[in-house]
């Protein structure tokens, strides 16, 4: 059973530039699915099409279909998608720097009943104890890794069913990347949330993945389960630097 089915998706920016050229991919319910590709391949665009965030950037889906739990969502706005369980953590974290950690979590929880806040925040603090220690601190003063934790924690507050993560490893030290991926795996298993992960760090992205897709120039060019892709000689040469 797929939580997400993207079929033959085409996306245009500013009415002229065709960036996605018939992209198709599936995310199996409960899985971690990773989307890899070079800079500019269209990975972020794919996530924004799914979460409804394209419109804010002059982007438009011109053809194709996005089925979430079997229902077409291509014309849905981001708020409706968040309410139905689709939540994107944008590249570069985008936390509210002038708010405290806990206030940021409150923002993530705006679609959820108020009475659930304490329970859900405690859940986030269990995944990320460091956020608990810093709950009253302004988010802008936290390290890059802590801010990424907060961005993911804020997403957990929305109780997502499909979590879209755009390059959570960007700019982080290797040890922190490992820690964050481990926690993403834990969230996936514990919350039963399906994850579509975009990564530049191919090795990390594939080692956590149940299934992986590789895109080039707006289309999927290869797919397979995470382990098979990690062992594929072409993937090793072009994405893992082992050629
Ligand atoms: P990266 O790994 O560098 O983030 P990506 O695979 O996520 O790359 P996208 O960010 O989806 O790629 O960009 C795909 C193409 O679309 C690029 O050529 C980019 O310049 C273009 N693009 C992205 N956003 C916009 C926008 N708002 N307006 C116009 N063109 C855009």
């Amino acid at each position: 059973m797929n939580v997400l089915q993207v079929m033959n998706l085409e996306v245009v920016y500013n009415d002229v530039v065709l960036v996605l050229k018939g992209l198709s991919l599936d995310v199996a319910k409960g899985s971690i699915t990773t989307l890899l590709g070079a800079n500019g391949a269209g990975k972020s665009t794919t996530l924004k099409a799914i979460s409804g965030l394209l419109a804010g950037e002059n982007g438009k889906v011109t053809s194709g279909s996005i089925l979430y739990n079997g229902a077409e969502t291509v014309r849905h706005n981001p708020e409706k998608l968040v309410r139905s369980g689709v939540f994107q953590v944008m590249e570069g974290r985008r936390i509210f720097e002038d708010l405290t950690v806990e206030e940021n979590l409150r923002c993530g929880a705006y679609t959820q009943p108020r009475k659930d806040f304490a329970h859900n925040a405690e859940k986030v603090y269990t995944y990320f104890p460091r956020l608990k220690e810093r709950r009253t601190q302004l988010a802008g003063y936290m390290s890059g890794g802590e801010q990424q934790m907060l961005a993911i924690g804020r997403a957990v507050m929305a109780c997502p069913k499909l979590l879209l993560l755009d390059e959570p490893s960007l700019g982080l030290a290797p040890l922190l990347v490992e820690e964050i991926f481990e926690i993403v795996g834990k969230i996936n298993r514990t919350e039963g949330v399906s994850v579509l992960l975009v990564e530049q760090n191919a090795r990390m992205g594939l080692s956590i993945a149940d299934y992986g897709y590789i895109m080039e120039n707006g289309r999927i060019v290869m797919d397979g389960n995470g382990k098979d892709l990690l062992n594929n000689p072409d993937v090793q040469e072009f994405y893992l630097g082992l050629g």
Side-chain angles (χ1 to χ4, degrees):
M1 172 79 182
N2 292 321
V3 63
L4 182 76
Q5 272 181 291
V6 177
M7 288 176 290
N8 301 318
L9 198 66
E10 287 190 6
V11 167
V12 167
Y13 282 114
N14 301 314
D15 291 327
V16 281
V17 191
L18 184 63
V19 171
L20 297 190
K21 304 169 182 171
L23 177 130
S24 299
L25 60 79
D26 297 334
V27 176
K29 208 168 233 169
S31 74
I32 297 182
T33 300
T34 296
L35 179 59
L36 301 176
N39 284 116
K43 304 179 298 296
S44 300
T45 300
T46 304
L47 292 191
K48 286 179 199 159
I50 298 164
S51 63
L53 293 172
L54 268 184
E57 302 206 15
N58 267 330
K60 201 155 56 184
V61 173
T62 48
S63 101
S65 175
I66 300 173
L67 299 182
Y68 170 60
N69 284 327
E72 181 63 68
T73 61
V74 121
R75 311 262 168 254
H76 289 189
N77 67 36
E79 176 164 1
K80 183 165 180 177
L81 285 160
V82 168
R83 287 188 188 280
S84 64
V86 180
F87 197 105
Q88 178 171 355
V89 178
M90 306 275 279
E91 186 180 333
R93 310 186 264 276
R94 314 254 182 118
I95 46 130
F96 299 110
E97 297 189 350
D98 297 334
L99 299 182
T100 66
V101 166
E102 191 142 313
E103 286 164 348
N104 268 276
L105 294 185
R106 264 187 206 286
C107 297
Y110 78 99
T111 56
Q112 300 300 308
R114 276 193 124 148
K115 63 175 177 44
D116 295 347
F117 177 78
H119 170 77
N120 287 337
E122 220 29 70
K123 205 159 66 175
V124 169
Y125 292 144
T126 309
Y127 291 124
F128 299 107
R130 221 165 320 161
L131 294 183
K132 185 166 192 170
E133 290 161 23
R134 289 164 175 65
R135 65 205 291 173
T136 58
Q137 184 177 319
L138 287 186
Y141 291 136
M142 298 205 303
S143 72
E146 289 162 353
Q147 291 187 12
Q148 185 57 263
M149 292 175 186
L150 179 56
I152 297 171
R154 188 174 60 181
V156 170
M157 294 301 293
C159 302
K161 298 188 179 68
L162 173 62
L163 184 59
L164 309 170
L165 294 179
D166 198 350
E167 297 204 28
S169 75
L170 197 73
L172 302 185
L175 265 182
L176 254 179
V177 173
E178 237 168 77
E179 188 181 341
I180 284 183
F181 273 66
E182 209 168 282
I183 295 168
V184 167
K186 214 185 266 177
I187 292 170
N188 161 255
R189 291 188 298 274
T190 315
E191 308 295 319
V193 56
S194 311
V195 177
L196 177 56
L197 168 72
V198 157
E199 255 305 324
Q200 285 277 337
N201 186 332
R203 189 184 313 279
M204 260 309 179
L206 288 178
S207 42
I208 194 181
D210 297 299
Y211 204 80
Y213 289 90
I214 296 182
M215 73 182 291
E216 272 173 26
N217 200 13
R219 288 191 191 91
I220 299 299
V221 292
M222 202 188 292
D223 63 307
N225 71 47
K227 279 203 185 71
D228 289 348
L229 287 179
L230 264 178
N231 293 323
N232 179 299
D234 288 337
V235 175
Q236 293 191 340
E237 180 174 351
F238 294 112
Y239 294 96
L240 302 172
L242 299 176

